[in-house]
Amino acid sequence: MRLVRYIRLLGLQVRMSLLLGMQYRWDFLTQGLMQILWMALSLLPLWVAFRARAGGGDIEAAQIGDWGIYGALVVYGVFWLLRAVLEGVINPSLGAVVEHIRKGTLDFMLLKPADAQFLVSTARFAPWHMIDGLAALALLSFAIVRHGQVSGQGPPGLPQVLAAAGIFVCGVAILYAVWVLVICAAFYVVKLDNLSYLFTSVFDFARWPRSVFRGALHVVFTYVIPLVVMTSYPADALRGQLGPWQAAWSVLWAGVMLALSRWVWQRAIARYTSASS
Amino acid sequence: MPGIWQGIRAYPTLLRIGLAEAVAYRAEMLVWMLTTTMPLVNMALWSTVATGRRLGPEGLSGGDLVVYFLLTLIVRLLTGSWVLWEMNQEIRGGAMSQRLLRPVHPILAYSAENLAAIPLRGLLVLPICAGLLLLSGQGRLTSDPVLIGAALVSLPGAWALTFLSMVLCGALAFYIESSLALFQIWMGTYALLSGYMVPLSLLPAGVRGVAEALPFRYMLDFPVKLMMGFPQADGRPVTHGLVLLHLGIEYAYVVALLVAVGLLWRAGLRRYAAFGA
């Protein structure tokens, strides 16, 4: 059974990464704590924005567009959760591919009797990001409960939570697909490691609720680089304000991006000539 | 020291090599250039926050923020540096050994590469920004010749601070294995405390005090403020003595960083050699 084999392979890869991560226990803790500290620090611009908006008044009443501070905090929590997935699951393995391509060691991956995209995508996990993932979940839960109290909506029900989780998975899929596309660019232009840096600096804007982007920027971040889909839509779902159109759009985007990344990956691999030839 | 003299004699050639390299890796250049346009997103974002309101003690309006972020973009293009990123790669990958064999001090070589890339980086974005600034900067830019002169003097200092602080972090890579985290920490601190993400006047008083004491503000906030006439919290025009004082502090920081880099580099190099690299 192909599927069973791949699931077992995945289990093996995860175990390897865990063992590797546990070897550096200190790293595990310090990295995790650093991330949480970082998360707290980077809340500052959001807080500053709402404080400036309130202009000395009640910060809970301040609004940017139709988003209050707790709604924005929900977006923020989703952003950090997504970031933990990106840095913990997607980034460590795919980031190494660029290095493999340049050094020619990608050949060893291609020789193994399993799908190459699967292998390079699961080669390495960074387990300490579990810590900031959990912290993000805590922040998210706090923010949505407070949001329910302030707006008088009450906490979200099970359908909302499920919808949010579904949209979140779509966001992860889009993020993964974009990353694969970035990697594929490295097959063509070898010195391109800073593309990942560009990618992260654009992704950083996903921490803001969608109402801060107006006009052209809103169109770009919804339809071209779907940052809004990744973080604001799950928050919308939790607040019970996600329309069926938006949900359909997220699923459609995720499907198209996954298919596209798969197609481009196969083309890129076919074109790959390894470092020696 | 004969090494320094050789370095200065070789400097024009190094600049030419740097320019040639910048032209050769155009794709990489383009990506860096796109990365530096992020202040445009910040601009859109903060002018949304400022709709129908004036922000902070200086009463920044949407128009002020547009000019502010355009200026940060220009200053960053003129003074930006990626040397930490490159050093990191070279120390980990072992390419640093080759650099050390050359008769020119690596830091001098890095600075030449960095400076030579600036015209090319500015080529595309700078004219657009200057045009936009002319359109929107009416009455918001200073016309005081002393302030304009001070702004011009502060730019080389801003570059030196950015470059040297990055080299300082990069030299830490001799001690710490995972110095990519250092790059993230540097970028994050810079983003928060230099006025890159949030104008410093909007920060809460405590954080603002910290930001104004640290050298980060002289990398970005200070030149930008000078070009905008250095508005004071009490609304009075800035005295020239104060401007001079700030310039003095800026260059004192440059000297201090230069000394720190010299010490850390020498000590770090001894460790690097001890690795057997």
Side-chain angles (χ1 to χ4, degrees), chain A residues 206-261:
Chain A
R207 70 177 69 181
W208 294 93
R210 61 183 157 78
S211 66
V212 302
F213 307 117
R214 282 182 311 191
L217 214 53
H218 187 252
V219 174
V220 168
F221 283 158
T222 310
Y223 299 108
V224 187
I225 314 166
L227 295 182
V228 167
V229 175
M230 291 178 199
T231 54
S232 284
Y233 282 6
D236 271 333
L238 276 179
R239 303 191 308 161
Q241 289 179 3
L242 189 81
W245 274 114
Q246 288 159 322
W249 176 248
S250 314
V251 176
L252 182 74
W253 243 110
V256 168
M257 287 301 285
L258 276 182
L260 179 73
S261 69

Side-chain angles (χ1 to χ4, degrees), chain B residues 74-145:
Chain B
I74 292 174
V75 171
R76 236 169 90 82
L77 274 175
L78 292 177
T79 66
S81 171
W82 308 109
V83 66
L84 179 49
W85 182 274
E86 275 164 40
M87 276 180 79
N88 208 337
Q89 302 248 329
E90 296 196 359
I91 290 178
R92 274 191 318 167
M96 184 55 87
S97 309
Q98 293 164 28
R99 243 182 220 280
L100 288 170
L101 282 176
R102 294 184 198 151
V104 179
H105 198 287
I107 297 181
L108 271 181
Y110 277 128
S111 70
E113 275 173 31
N114 197 211
L115 284 176
I118 286 174
L120 199 69
R121 249 191 283 166
L123 201 66
L124 203 75
V125 189
L126 221 46
I128 305 174
C129 289
L132 283 175
L133 204 56
L134 278 181
L135 282 178
S136 58
Q138 297 280 315
R140 293 199 173 91
L141 295 174
T142 181
S143 53
D144 183 349

Side-chain angles (χ1 to χ4, degrees), chain A residues 107-271:
Chain A
D107 299 23
F108 302 128
M109 289 278 193
L110 296 179
L111 280 175
K112 288 179 186 169
D115 184 69
Q117 187 179 354
F118 175 81
L119 280 179
V120 299
S121 311
T122 55
R124 175 73 54 85
F125 299 93
W128 56 80
H129 281 287
M130 278 190 294
I131 299 182
D132 48 294
L134 285 176
L137 262 182
L139 175 72
L140 180 64
S141 326
F142 162 75
I144 191 62
V145 170
R146 274 302 283 161
H147 175 265
Q149 284 170 357
V150 170
S151 66
Q153 272 179 344
L158 191 62
Q160 276 103 333
V161 174
L162 285 180
I167 305 289
F168 182 78
V169 170
C170 289
V172 171
I174 295 172
L175 210 52
Y176 169 75
V178 173
W179 241 123
V180 171
L181 289 177
V182 170
I183 301 303
C184 289
F187 282 102
Y188 298 90
V189 196
V190 178
K191 201 179 173 193
L192 208 66
D193 12 323
N194 58 2
L195 198 56
S196 65
Y197 180 63
L198 172 67
F199 174 75
T200 12
S201 48
V202 174
F203 176 64
D204 256 4
F205 287 110
R207 70 177 69 181
W208 294 93
R210 61 183 157 78
S211 66
V212 302
F213 307 117
R214 282 182 311 191
L217 214 53
H218 187 252
V219 174
V220 168
F221 283 158
T222 310
Y223 299 108
V224 187
I225 314 166
L227 295 182
V228 167
V229 175
M230 291 178 199
T231 54
S232 284
Y233 282 6
D236 271 333
L238 276 179
R239 303 191 308 161
Q241 289 179 3
L242 189 81
W245 274 114
Q246 288 159 322
W249 176 248
S250 314
V251 176
L252 182 74
W253 243 110
V256 168
M257 287 301 285
L258 276 182
L260 179 73
S261 69
R262 178 71 185 165
W263 183 74
V264 172
W265 167 265
Q266 277 170 341
R267 302 266 313 217
I269 278 290
R271 198 182 168 276

Side-chain angles (χ1 to χ4, degrees), chain A residues 27 31 34-35 38 41-42 44-45 47-49 51-55 64 83 87 99 102 189 191-198 201-202 204-205 207-208 211-214 217 221, chain B residues 25 27-29 31-32 34-35 38 41-42 44-56 82 85 89 178 181 183-185 187-189 192 197-198 202-205 207:
Chain A
D27 250 27
Q31 295 264 21
M34 273 298 297
Q35 292 289 335
W38 207 225
L41 254 180
S42 58
L44 199 63
W47 186 66
V48 166
R51 207 177 69 118
R53 196 77 195 143
I64 297 177
R83 199 168 170 278
E87 301 271 324
E99 203 67 15
R102 193 164 48 203
V189 196
K191 201 179 173 193
L192 208 66
D193 12 323
N194 58 2
L195 198 56
S196 65
Y197 180 63
L198 172 67
S201 48
V202 174
D204 256 4
F205 287 110
R207 70 177 69 181
W208 294 93
S211 66
V212 302
F213 307 117
R214 282 182 311 191
L217 214 53
F221 283 158
Chain B
Y25 293 115
E28 193 187 34
M29 207 59 182
V31 172
W32 279 140
L34 281 174
T35 315
M38 290 306 133
V41 182
N42 275 324
L45 198 155
W46 283 98
S47 43
T48 309
V49 175
T51 36
R53 210 162 292 234
R54 286 181 164 265
L55 306 182
W82 308 109
W85 182 274
Q89 302 248 329
S178 61
F183 182 69
Q184 281 167 357
I185 293 174
M187 281 309 294
T189 327
L192 271 184
M197 208 184 252
V198 185
L202 295 186
L203 292 176
V207 185

